[in-house]
Short mmCIF file of all heavy atoms in Angstrom, two decimals:
data_model
loop_
_atom_site.label_atom_id
_atom_site.label_comp_id
_atom_site.label_asym_id
_atom_site.label_seq_id
_atom_site.Cartn_x
_atom_site.Cartn_y
_atom_site.Cartn_z
N TYR G 1 96.02 106.69 94.51
CA TYR G 1 96.97 107.74 94.15
C TYR G 1 97.05 107.90 92.63
O TYR G 1 97.13 109.00 92.11
CB TYR G 1 98.39 107.42 94.66
CG TYR G 1 98.50 107.20 96.15
CD1 TYR G 1 99.58 106.49 96.68
CD2 TYR G 1 97.55 107.69 97.03
CE1 TYR G 1 99.70 106.27 98.04
CE2 TYR G 1 97.66 107.48 98.40
CZ TYR G 1 98.74 106.76 98.89
OH TYR G 1 98.86 106.54 100.24
N PHE G 2 97.01 106.73 91.93
CA PHE G 2 97.11 106.76 90.48
C PHE G 2 95.87 107.37 89.84
O PHE G 2 95.90 107.74 88.67
CB PHE G 2 97.34 105.35 89.94
CG PHE G 2 98.72 104.83 90.12
CD1 PHE G 2 99.08 104.13 91.26
CD2 PHE G 2 99.70 105.06 89.15
CE1 PHE G 2 100.37 103.67 91.44
CE2 PHE G 2 100.99 104.59 89.32
CZ PHE G 2 101.33 103.90 90.46
N ALA G 3 94.77 107.44 90.59
CA ALA G 3 93.56 108.04 90.06
C ALA G 3 93.54 109.55 90.29
O ALA G 3 93.21 110.33 89.39
CB ALA G 3 92.33 107.40 90.69
N ILE G 4 93.94 110.00 91.49
CA ILE G 4 93.74 111.40 91.86
C ILE G 4 94.93 112.28 91.50
O ILE G 4 94.76 113.39 90.98
CB ILE G 4 93.41 111.51 93.36
CG1 ILE G 4 92.02 110.91 93.60
CG2 ILE G 4 93.43 112.94 93.82
CD1 ILE G 4 91.50 111.05 94.99
N ILE G 5 96.16 111.84 91.79
CA ILE G 5 97.33 112.69 91.54
C ILE G 5 97.44 113.09 90.07
O ILE G 5 97.59 114.29 89.76
CB ILE G 5 98.62 111.99 92.02
CG1 ILE G 5 98.56 111.74 93.53
CG2 ILE G 5 99.85 112.82 91.67
CD1 ILE G 5 98.49 112.98 94.38
N PRO G 6 97.35 112.15 89.12
CA PRO G 6 97.38 112.59 87.72
C PRO G 6 96.23 113.53 87.37
O PRO G 6 96.39 114.46 86.59
CB PRO G 6 97.28 111.28 86.93
CG PRO G 6 97.74 110.22 87.87
CD PRO G 6 97.29 110.68 89.22
N ALA G 7 95.04 113.26 87.98
CA ALA G 7 93.90 114.11 87.68
C ALA G 7 94.12 115.54 88.15
O ALA G 7 93.67 116.49 87.52
CB ALA G 7 92.65 113.53 88.34
N MET G 8 94.84 115.70 89.25
CA MET G 8 95.07 117.04 89.80
C MET G 8 96.10 117.83 88.99
O MET G 8 95.95 119.04 88.79
CB MET G 8 95.53 116.94 91.25
CG MET G 8 94.45 116.55 92.23
SD MET G 8 95.09 116.56 93.93
CE MET G 8 95.55 118.27 94.13
N PHE G 9 97.14 117.16 88.51
CA PHE G 9 98.28 117.90 87.97
C PHE G 9 98.59 117.62 86.50
O PHE G 9 99.49 118.23 85.94
CB PHE G 9 99.53 117.60 88.80
CG PHE G 9 99.43 118.09 90.22
CD1 PHE G 9 99.25 117.20 91.26
CD2 PHE G 9 99.52 119.45 90.50
CE1 PHE G 9 99.15 117.65 92.56
CE2 PHE G 9 99.42 119.90 91.80
CZ PHE G 9 99.23 119.00 92.84
N ALA G 10 97.86 116.67 85.89
CA ALA G 10 98.20 116.34 84.50
C ALA G 10 98.02 117.53 83.57
O ALA G 10 98.71 117.65 82.55
CB ALA G 10 97.37 115.16 84.01
N GLY G 11 97.06 118.44 83.93
CA GLY G 11 96.82 119.59 83.06
C GLY G 11 98.01 120.52 82.98
O GLY G 11 98.28 121.11 81.93
N ILE G 12 98.75 120.68 84.06
CA ILE G 12 99.90 121.58 84.07
C ILE G 12 101.21 120.83 83.87
O ILE G 12 102.19 121.38 83.37
CB ILE G 12 99.94 122.38 85.40
CG1 ILE G 12 101.01 123.47 85.31
CG2 ILE G 12 100.18 121.46 86.58
CD1 ILE G 12 100.73 124.52 84.29
N PHE G 13 101.20 119.54 84.26
CA PHE G 13 102.39 118.71 84.05
C PHE G 13 102.00 117.53 83.16
O PHE G 13 101.65 116.45 83.65
CB PHE G 13 102.94 118.18 85.38
CG PHE G 13 103.38 119.27 86.32
CD1 PHE G 13 102.75 119.46 87.54
CD2 PHE G 13 104.45 120.11 85.99
CE1 PHE G 13 103.16 120.46 88.40
CE2 PHE G 13 104.86 121.12 86.86
CZ PHE G 13 104.21 121.30 88.06
N PRO G 14 102.03 117.72 81.86
CA PRO G 14 101.57 116.66 80.94
C PRO G 14 102.29 115.33 81.14
O PRO G 14 101.74 114.27 80.85
CB PRO G 14 101.86 117.25 79.56
CG PRO G 14 101.87 118.73 79.78
CD PRO G 14 102.45 118.94 81.16
N GLY G 15 103.52 115.41 81.66
CA GLY G 15 104.27 114.17 81.87
C GLY G 15 103.59 113.22 82.85
O GLY G 15 103.83 112.01 82.83
N LEU G 16 102.73 113.78 83.72
CA LEU G 16 102.03 112.92 84.69
C LEU G 16 100.96 112.05 84.04
O LEU G 16 100.41 111.15 84.67
CB LEU G 16 101.38 113.78 85.79
CG LEU G 16 102.33 114.44 86.80
CD1 LEU G 16 101.56 115.33 87.75
CD2 LEU G 16 103.11 113.38 87.57
N ALA G 17 100.68 112.34 82.77
CA ALA G 17 99.65 111.55 82.09
C ALA G 17 100.01 110.07 82.00
O ALA G 17 99.14 109.21 81.92
CB ALA G 17 99.41 112.11 80.69
N VAL G 18 101.32 109.79 82.04
CA VAL G 18 101.73 108.37 81.98
C VAL G 18 101.28 107.60 83.21
O VAL G 18 101.20 106.37 83.20
CB VAL G 18 103.26 108.25 81.80
CG1 VAL G 18 103.71 108.88 80.50
CG2 VAL G 18 104.00 108.87 82.98
N LEU G 19 101.01 108.34 84.31
CA LEU G 19 100.53 107.68 85.52
C LEU G 19 99.04 107.35 85.44
O LEU G 19 98.53 106.62 86.28
CB LEU G 19 100.80 108.56 86.75
CG LEU G 19 102.26 108.83 87.09
CD1 LEU G 19 102.36 109.75 88.30
CD2 LEU G 19 103.01 107.53 87.35
N ASN G 20 98.38 107.95 84.47
CA ASN G 20 96.95 107.68 84.31
C ASN G 20 96.76 106.35 83.59
O ASN G 20 96.20 106.27 82.50
CB ASN G 20 96.28 108.83 83.54
CG ASN G 20 94.76 108.68 83.48
OD1 ASN G 20 94.17 107.93 84.26
ND2 ASN G 20 94.14 109.38 82.54
N ILE G 21 97.28 105.28 84.22
CA ILE G 21 97.29 103.97 83.56
C ILE G 21 95.89 103.38 83.43
O ILE G 21 95.68 102.45 82.66
CB ILE G 21 98.21 103.00 84.32
CG1 ILE G 21 97.75 102.85 85.77
CG2 ILE G 21 99.65 103.43 84.25
CD1 ILE G 21 98.59 101.86 86.57
N MET G 22 94.93 103.92 84.20
CA MET G 22 93.56 103.43 84.07
C MET G 22 92.81 104.11 82.94
O MET G 22 91.69 103.73 82.62
CB MET G 22 92.81 103.65 85.39
CG MET G 22 93.22 102.72 86.51
SD MET G 22 92.29 102.97 88.03
CE MET G 22 93.22 104.29 88.79
N GLN G 23 93.46 105.14 82.34
CA GLN G 23 92.84 105.88 81.24
C GLN G 23 91.45 106.39 81.64
O GLN G 23 90.45 106.17 80.96
CB GLN G 23 92.74 105.01 79.98
CG GLN G 23 94.09 104.60 79.39
CD GLN G 23 94.90 105.81 78.93
OE1 GLN G 23 94.44 106.61 78.12
NE2 GLN G 23 96.12 105.94 79.47
N LEU G 24 91.43 107.08 82.77
CA LEU G 24 90.17 107.61 83.29
C LEU G 24 89.70 108.76 82.40
O LEU G 24 90.49 109.47 81.78
CB LEU G 24 90.33 108.05 84.73
CG LEU G 24 90.77 106.93 85.69
CD1 LEU G 24 90.96 107.46 87.10
CD2 LEU G 24 89.77 105.78 85.69
N HIS G 25 88.38 108.96 82.36
CA HIS G 25 87.76 109.85 81.37
C HIS G 25 88.18 111.30 81.52
O HIS G 25 88.51 111.98 80.53
CB HIS G 25 86.23 109.73 81.48
CG HIS G 25 85.49 110.54 80.48
ND1 HIS G 25 84.97 111.79 80.76
CD2 HIS G 25 85.18 110.29 79.17
CE1 HIS G 25 84.36 112.27 79.69
NE2 HIS G 25 84.47 111.37 78.71
N SER G 26 88.17 111.81 82.76
CA SER G 26 88.52 113.21 83.00
C SER G 26 88.96 113.37 84.44
O SER G 26 88.72 112.49 85.27
CB SER G 26 87.31 114.12 82.72
OG SER G 26 86.31 113.90 83.72
N PRO G 27 89.64 114.48 84.77
CA PRO G 27 90.03 114.70 86.17
C PRO G 27 88.84 114.64 87.13
O PRO G 27 88.93 114.04 88.19
CB PRO G 27 90.66 116.09 86.15
CG PRO G 27 91.18 116.23 84.76
CD PRO G 27 90.20 115.53 83.89
N ALA G 28 87.71 115.25 86.73
CA ALA G 28 86.55 115.26 87.62
C ALA G 28 86.00 113.85 87.82
O ALA G 28 85.67 113.45 88.95
CB ALA G 28 85.47 116.18 87.05
N SER G 29 85.89 113.07 86.75
CA SER G 29 85.36 111.71 86.89
C SER G 29 86.33 110.82 87.65
O SER G 29 85.92 109.92 88.41
CB SER G 29 85.05 111.11 85.51
OG SER G 29 86.25 110.85 84.80
N ALA G 30 87.65 111.07 87.49
CA ALA G 30 88.65 110.28 88.22
C ALA G 30 88.52 110.49 89.72
O ALA G 30 88.54 109.53 90.51
CB ALA G 30 90.05 110.66 87.75
N ILE G 31 88.40 111.75 90.12
CA ILE G 31 88.32 112.07 91.55
C ILE G 31 87.03 111.52 92.14
O ILE G 31 87.02 110.88 93.21
CB ILE G 31 88.43 113.59 91.76
CG1 ILE G 31 89.83 114.06 91.35
CG2 ILE G 31 88.15 113.96 93.21
CD1 ILE G 31 89.96 115.56 91.24
N LEU G 32 85.91 111.76 91.46
CA LEU G 32 84.63 111.27 91.98
C LEU G 32 84.59 109.75 92.01
O LEU G 32 84.09 109.14 92.97
CB LEU G 32 83.48 111.81 91.13
CG LEU G 32 82.07 111.46 91.63
CD1 LEU G 32 81.85 112.00 93.04
CD2 LEU G 32 81.00 112.00 90.68
N SER G 33 85.15 109.09 91.00
CA SER G 33 85.17 107.62 90.96
C SER G 33 85.98 107.06 92.13
O SER G 33 85.60 106.04 92.73
CB SER G 33 85.76 107.14 89.64
OG SER G 33 84.96 107.55 88.55
N ALA G 34 87.11 107.71 92.46
CA ALA G 34 87.92 107.26 93.58
C ALA G 34 87.16 107.39 94.90
O ALA G 34 87.22 106.51 95.77
CB ALA G 34 89.22 108.05 93.64
N ILE G 35 86.44 108.49 95.06
CA ILE G 35 85.65 108.70 96.29
C ILE G 35 84.52 107.67 96.39
O ILE G 35 84.24 107.12 97.46
CB ILE G 35 85.09 110.14 96.32
CG1 ILE G 35 86.20 111.12 96.69
CG2 ILE G 35 83.95 110.27 97.32
CD1 ILE G 35 86.73 110.96 98.10
N ILE G 36 83.85 107.41 95.26
CA ILE G 36 82.75 106.42 95.27
C ILE G 36 83.29 105.04 95.62
O ILE G 36 82.71 104.32 96.45
CB ILE G 36 82.03 106.40 93.90
CG1 ILE G 36 81.31 107.73 93.67
CG2 ILE G 36 81.06 105.23 93.83
CD1 ILE G 36 80.70 107.87 92.29
N PHE G 37 84.41 104.66 94.99
CA PHE G 37 85.00 103.35 95.31
C PHE G 37 85.39 103.28 96.78
O PHE G 37 85.19 102.26 97.44
CB PHE G 37 86.24 103.11 94.44
CG PHE G 37 86.97 101.85 94.80
CD1 PHE G 37 86.57 100.63 94.29
CD2 PHE G 37 88.06 101.86 95.68
CE1 PHE G 37 87.23 99.46 94.63
CE2 PHE G 37 88.72 100.70 96.03
CZ PHE G 37 88.30 99.49 95.50
N ASN G 38 85.92 104.37 97.31
CA ASN G 38 86.35 104.43 98.71
C ASN G 38 85.19 104.14 99.66
O ASN G 38 85.38 103.52 100.71
CB ASN G 38 86.94 105.81 99.01
CG ASN G 38 87.78 105.83 100.27
OD1 ASN G 38 88.80 105.16 100.36
ND2 ASN G 38 87.33 106.59 101.26
N ALA G 39 83.99 104.57 99.27
CA ALA G 39 82.81 104.32 100.11
C ALA G 39 82.26 102.92 99.90
O ALA G 39 81.94 102.21 100.86
CB ALA G 39 81.73 105.36 99.80
N ILE G 40 82.17 102.51 98.63
CA ILE G 40 81.55 101.22 98.33
C ILE G 40 82.36 100.05 98.88
O ILE G 40 81.80 99.04 99.33
CB ILE G 40 81.34 101.07 96.80
CG1 ILE G 40 80.27 102.05 96.34
CG2 ILE G 40 80.97 99.65 96.43
CD1 ILE G 40 80.06 102.06 94.83
#
């Protein structure tokens, strides 16, 4: 949740950036990384 939710809404709700505690590179990389981890 901490990977995808901030990635989806941080652009319009900057306050959600505090949830990006992993400091992921970008929304696209965050979402794809979560899906890859989910499979691996």
